[in-house]
Amino acid sequence: MGLKRLSKVDCFLVVRPFLDYFSCGDAGIIKKFDHKIFLGLIDILGHGEEAHKVAVKSRDFLAKNYDNDLIEVIKLLHEHIRGTRGGVVGLCLFNSLNGTLSCCGIGNIGVRIFGTKSRRAIFRSGIVGYIMPDPRLETLLLSEGDVLIMYSDGVKDHFRLEEYAGLLKDDAQTIAKNIVKKFGKKEDDASCISLRFR
């Protein structure tokens, strides 16, 4: 049953560097395991190669620890990149069996759900690797047909569903690409993870 349900979940990551830069300070990760999907988005302060190195270090850490408690993962990541320029991080764990989405993050990573009812996760302000308050866990519920979008502050935050007419129809890859194309800021790194629950 879990595998059948998991096949209804479609997700995709897009990362685009600051205009005229080759290296990006944003990074993301998608990991599927059992009937769950771990989503992580990282936005390191600044741009270019130095920010990219910390982003890769953070992403590699998440790739090894994605199946642990979200609060514990973000606390461990904080210690792992302490002494670097730091960044903001959003983590989500989606359970395809019951539609629950657990969210934990620090800083201005956007987490929004579009569909039957618009919802948003709110993270505490801070910088992972520098000054970080105790993270909190928030739980949201996705219904079939809903779309989850996670994005860095290189994407305009307050876009409306009316500004992207195909959002509730397109596949996850198309959604992530269009969010960055339509709402990405050229003067900043931009990243987006989209998840469609069918």
Side-chain angles (χ1 to χ4, degrees):
M1 178 176 175
L3 291 176
K4 182 179 178 184
R5 189 64 170 223
L6 189 60
S7 68
K8 293 185 175 183
V9 181
D10 179 25
C11 46
F12 198 79
L13 163 70
V14 170
V15 177
R16 188 220 65 200
F18 185 99
L19 184 66
D20 296 331
Y21 277 70
F22 294 103
S23 300
C24 188
D26 284 12
I29 182 173
I30 298 171
K31 286 282 190 179
K32 297 182 180 182
F33 63 106
D34 301 329
H35 54 274
K36 299 174 182 177
I37 302 178
F38 172 87
L39 310 170
L41 205 59
I42 303 147
D43 180 1
I44 300 302
L45 299 183
H47 313 286
E49 187 59 32
E50 290 306 311
H52 177 70
K53 288 178 183 177
V54 183
V56 170
K57 182 177 182 177
S58 302
R59 184 190 63 205
D60 290 349
F61 178 85
L62 295 181
K64 294 176 183 175
N65 294 277
Y66 65 90
D67 55 349
N68 293 314
D69 174 80
L70 293 185
I71 291 179
E72 187 65 18
V73 169
I74 206 163
K75 285 181 176 180
L76 290 172
L77 177 61
H78 175 65
E79 295 302 325
H80 185 68
I81 64 170
R82 186 185 289 277
T84 69
R85 59 180 62 197
V88 296
V89 178
L91 307 178
C92 291
L93 185 65
F94 179 64
N95 185 322
S96 65
L97 294 181
N98 56 23
T100 57
L101 180 78
S102 301
C103 308
C104 181
I106 296 293
N108 56 351
I109 296 291
V111 176
R112 296 173 67 184
I113 298 171
F114 295 91
T116 51
K117 181 182 177 184
S118 294
R119 282 93 75 208
R120 175 190 290 265
I122 304 296
F123 297 147
R124 288 183 165 178
S125 297
I127 300 173
V128 178
Y130 181 54
I131 298 176
M132 188 181 84
D134 285 336
R136 295 179 300 197
L137 192 68
E138 185 172 350
T139 302
L140 303 171
L141 184 65
L142 272 70
S143 300
E144 290 193 12
D146 284 352
V147 174
L148 164 70
I149 300 175
M150 300 177 68
Y151 51 90
S152 68
D153 69 349
V155 173
K156 181 176 106 173
D157 186 38
H158 296 291
F159 63 87
R160 303 185 311 278
L161 187 58
E162 295 76 19
E163 296 177 77
Y164 179 3
L167 179 62
L168 296 179
K169 299 177 182 178
D170 289 342
D171 60 85
Q173 179 175 343
T174 302
I175 292 169
K177 287 181 175 179
N178 279 338
I179 291 294
V180 171
K181 182 179 179 181
K182 288 174 175 288
F183 308 118
K185 304 171 185 174
K186 289 184 172 59
E187 68 278 8
D188 199 358
D189 297 328
S191 54
C192 176
I193 294 177
S194 62
L195 180 149
R196 171 175 285 288
F197 185 38
R198 297 186 185 277

